[in-house]
Each structure stands twice: as C-alpha cells, then as structure tokens.
Amino acid sequence: MTDLNTWFDKGMTRYAYIHSMKTHKENLLTIYNSFVLPEPMKDALQGLQQNRLRAIVITEDWCGDAMLNLPVFMRMADEALIDIRFILRDQHPELMDRYLTAKAKSIPVIIFIDEKGKEIVKWGPRAPKLQQIVEERKKKIPSKEDPRYEKAFKLFADRISSLFTTDHALWEEVSLDIIKKLLAKLNVNSL
C-alpha cells in the first residue's frame, strides 16, 4: 500500500490538471473566477495556514460534482495555503479503492494530509444539501432498462451542470461543508 506522501508526489498540480481537462474546464474556471468566500470563512481558512495542510484530490474532469466542488475548494485552499495534487481516479484504482463511498467510486474525494503524510480528514463527493438535490432529481429518471433512460439521464446531467455553474448558494454550501468537517477534525471552533 503506497503511503499518502507518495500519492501526493505522484499527483498533478492544480495548473497541470486544469490544462489537461477536456470536459467541464470552462465551467470549472467560471466557478473559480466567480466564487467569493465570505469574510468569516476567509478568516477561518487563514487560521488554518499554520497547520501546513496538503490535499490529494481524486477526480476526473468529466465529473459534474468535481466541476462544482473543485473550484470552490481551490478558492478555499488559496486562503488556507493548502497545496493540492490531483490524481485521476480511472488511472489509479488502487487509491480510489481505499476511498470508496458506499461501495461506489464516487468522486471527487479530497484527502487532507499533514506534513508527514498522515490523513487528517476526507471529504466528498458531495455536501449533504447537494446530495439531497441530486437524489430528488434522479427520482424522475427512468430505470436503466427503460429505453428512455439515456435521453432522460443526459437531460438530468445537463440541468444539474447548469444548476451547479449558476447557483452561488450551492457553492457556499460546498465550502461550508468542507470547512466544518475540517475544523471539527482539527478541533478548531472558528466560523
């Protein structure tokens, strides 16, 4: 089993990942360039700088959840001085298998580590409110055996992508969920 420092070293930098993207690149950059962290969150994130955290993100550029979560997280990482490395899920199943969510390969998964490579906390693939929205909307899709499934799923994916790239409240929901989980694990009461 490869340790997390080794995975961090193997990962792509933020810029290498963005430049390699073939899908959702424009949407990711739109969110990144538009998202503004609330002042109390900036203060809390700046308070984390002394922890010298790093993050490994398991992702794929075709993933709608990654399209939303990663630019929000990148803004957060800017404030907290968290160095990020990106690992592509489909090229590294051995890492993904360690971070399965409910026996699924759901992404993105953000693994926060300390300087020694010890896992602090894992986050992903969705904030609870987003999970609820996705589950509600998926109820309207016919089963995979239904001939209407492909068309209905594409429509669902297009509408979710549109919602994810325009609803600023969802962006804030993601940032709050990430920071609350991180602060709780670090035993910090700030926010």
Side-chain angles (χ1 to χ4, degrees):
M1 186 182 296
T2 307
D3 79 81
L4 293 174
N5 273 330
T6 303
W7 282 111
F8 184 84
D9 293 341
K10 281 184 183 185
M12 288 185 279
T13 66
R14 172 193 320 206
Y15 307 109
Y17 172 70
I18 292 170
H19 290 304
S20 76
M21 292 180 75
K22 307 261 186 286
T23 312
H24 291 309
K25 182 178 186 174
E26 285 181 35
N27 289 338
L28 180 140
L29 290 172
T30 295
I31 295 169
Y32 179 79
N33 291 324
S34 303
F35 181 56
V36 178
L37 290 162
E39 285 305 316
M41 184 166 310
K42 281 185 180 182
D43 293 341
L45 289 164
Q46 289 169 4
L48 294 177
Q49 292 174 357
Q50 65 195 15
N51 291 291
R52 302 177 64 124
L53 296 172
R54 296 176 296 153
I56 300 166
V57 176
I58 306 171
T59 191
E60 287 288 343
D61 73 339
W62 48 258
C63 176
D65 289 310
M67 175 196 73
L68 165 62
N69 296 330
L70 297 185
V72 169
F73 174 60
M74 286 187 261
R75 278 284 175 220
M76 297 174 73
D78 292 344
E79 291 296 327
L81 300 180
I82 297 172
D83 195 4
I84 310 169
R85 293 295 184 274
F86 295 83
I87 300 286
L88 298 179
R89 178 194 81 173
D90 296 343
Q91 291 178 15
H92 300 284
E94 64 278 20
L95 181 62
M96 185 68 240
D97 289 348
R98 287 171 60 180
Y99 291 95
L100 292 177
T101 51
K103 297 184 183 176
K105 294 184 178 188
S106 300
I107 50 175
V109 174
I110 302 170
I111 308 155
F112 293 90
I113 60 175
D114 65 15
E115 289 181 285
K116 295 177 183 170
K118 179 181 177 242
E119 181 180 324
I120 303 299
V121 69
K122 156 191 107 68
W123 184 90
R126 282 187 194 118
K129 182 168 180 132
L130 275 77
Q131 182 67 28
Q132 181 183 6
I133 291 168
V134 169
E135 285 174 4
E136 282 298 314
R137 291 180 179 224
K138 272 189 172 178
K139 287 179 185 175
K140 298 173 184 169
I141 300 173
S143 72
K144 287 184 179 183
E145 295 76 32
D146 190 308
R148 300 170 297 159
Y149 173 80
E150 291 296 325
K151 186 176 180 181
F153 186 81
K154 181 174 180 351
L155 183 61
F156 159 80
D158 290 346
R159 287 182 175 163
I160 281 291
S161 287
S162 177
L163 179 68
F164 284 1
T165 54
T166 58
D167 191 334
H168 294 234
L170 294 180
W171 305 351
E172 196 163 312
E173 200 62 43
V174 168
S175 65
L176 284 170
D177 192 54
I178 292 171
I179 195 157
K180 284 179 181 175
K181 190 162 188 178
L182 189 55
L183 292 175
K185 197 64 175 183
L186 294 170
N187 295 316
V188 176
N189 292 334
S190 171
L191 191 61

